[in-house]
Amino acid sequence: PDEAVAAAQQQIQAVAGGLTSIQAAVQKAKQQERSAEQRIGDAVLALGSKDYVRAANLLNEVIEKYPNHPTALPDAMNMLGEVYFRSKQFLSARRVFKQIVARGGEGRFAQYQAGSLGRLVDIALRLKELKELDDIFASIAKVPSGAASSALSYARGKGLFARKDFAGAKGALAQVDAQSEYSHQARYIGALIAMKEATPPQKPLAEGETPPPVPPSRYAATIDMFLKVTQLQPDTVEHRRVIDMSWLAMVIVWGLCQLPTVTSTT
């Protein structure tokens, strides 16, 4: 028994002697722990390199560790929704964006309302769940006027176009400011609406029957609208994509109405 007691005392002394170094290691680890802002910065880099898994993990850590942070929490949630959206995890993205919209009454989430609602429209269109648009439009109507109104008008116009409510879509798109980042997209969808409205109803053709030629005048206004989009500034990746799509649309329309080929110098 005496030997056992002595051995136990030696073990206790050894553990007690190591406590100081353990506490120092814990303190050092706490000092080296990255802040919320640093974690978000790391997530931005991961998102830029399309490392969606790492970006999502970093952002979820911020959301878990800093639920009361005045800026880090909304920043992390907004970016997490975007990470899920870009990685095509649409259900997860919708969950996050709906949480942001639901907390719109909190000042720290106000700046992300328009973007979240726009993404919810995008998700509804990609999942072909157009019934979801009713609730989204109701949320858009609750956002104070002037708060990113162009972004909200574009989102609503895009949704109405998908529902084939062309009159409503034109009314919403007309409210997009010409100087906003959504001007190119709004004008492109406006040209698509003009093309849809100019296209006559298709009737079944008998076997071997060819469709009648389309008068060039039918799509003249549509082509002019697409042409005006191509003349806008290609100042962002998204705007360049819209301009390219407008050129492609004109080629298709020219083919429909058998117009002569036009060579672009752009």
Side-chain angles (χ1 to χ4, degrees):
D2 293 339
E3 292 178 358
V5 170
Q9 288 176 340
Q10 289 177 355
Q11 293 176 359
I12 292 172
Q13 290 174 357
V15 171
L19 283 177
T20 302
S21 60
I22 293 173
Q23 291 173 348
V26 170
Q27 186 63 30
K28 183 178 179 180
K30 288 182 177 179
Q31 292 174 351
Q32 292 178 342
E33 183 176 356
R34 298 182 70 76
S35 66
E37 292 79 6
Q38 289 173 325
R39 292 171 188 266
I40 291 175
D42 293 341
V44 171
L45 295 176
L47 177 59
S49 62
K50 297 184 180 180
D51 187 351
Y52 300 123
V53 173
R54 182 167 183 268
N57 289 337
L58 287 165
L59 294 168
N60 276 312
E61 287 176 2
V62 174
I63 293 170
E64 180 181 352
K65 289 177 176 290
Y66 305 95
N68 299 316
H69 197 291
T71 58
L73 179 66
D75 290 349
M77 289 181 64
N78 179 69
M79 189 177 297
L80 180 61
E82 189 65 20
V83 167
Y84 286 145
F85 181 82
R86 294 191 190 184
S87 58
K88 298 183 180 180
Q89 300 180 64
F90 297 127
L91 296 179
S92 295
R94 181 164 63 188
R95 171 178 54 79
V96 175
F97 287 127
K98 280 188 174 183
Q99 289 174 353
I100 294 174
V101 171
R103 301 181 70 168
E106 301 178 37
R108 56 181 178 166
F109 287 94
Q111 63 176 317
Y112 294 119
Q113 292 300 291
S116 296
L117 288 166
R119 277 308 192 205
L120 287 173
V121 171
D122 291 335
I123 292 167
L125 299 186
R126 281 164 172 75
L127 296 178
K128 302 185 185 304
E129 296 178 352
L130 300 186
K131 292 182 179 180
E132 289 280 331
L133 293 174
D134 291 331
D135 291 337
I136 299 172
F137 291 161
S139 297
I140 289 176
K142 295 177 183 178
V143 178
S145 58
S149 58
S150 289
L152 294 173
S153 296
Y154 170 66
R156 189 168 183 275
K158 182 166 51 176
L160 290 170
F161 172 72
R163 293 173 64 164
K164 296 183 171 54
D165 182 355
F166 298 144
K170 287 192 290 186
L173 295 172
Q175 299 176 34
V176 177
D177 191 286
Q179 303 302 318
S180 79
E181 61 179 300
Y182 301 99
S183 177
H184 291 54
Q185 296 92 316
R187 293 190 184 190
Y188 173 76
I189 294 180
L192 288 179
I193 293 172
M195 183 173 69
K196 293 284 188 181
E197 293 178 333
T199 302
Q202 299 294 321
K203 63 178 182 179
L205 299 175
E207 185 177 354
E209 183 182 2
T210 58
V214 179
S217 59
R218 181 184 295 278
Y219 291 106
T222 300
I223 292 175
D224 183 62
M225 293 175 72
F226 280 124
L227 184 61
K228 288 180 178 178
V229 175
T230 66
Q231 295 169 347
L232 298 174
Q233 289 295 321
D235 48 359
T236 68
V237 173
E238 182 62 26
H239 288 172
R240 288 195 292 272
R241 178 173 175 272
V242 172
I243 290 171
D244 290 343
M245 290 171 63
S246 297
W247 280 115
L248 178 60
M250 281 195 292
V251 171
I252 294 172
V253 175
W254 283 326
L256 287 175
C257 54
Q258 301 176 0
L259 289 175
T261 303
V262 177
T263 302
S264 167
T265 59
T266 303

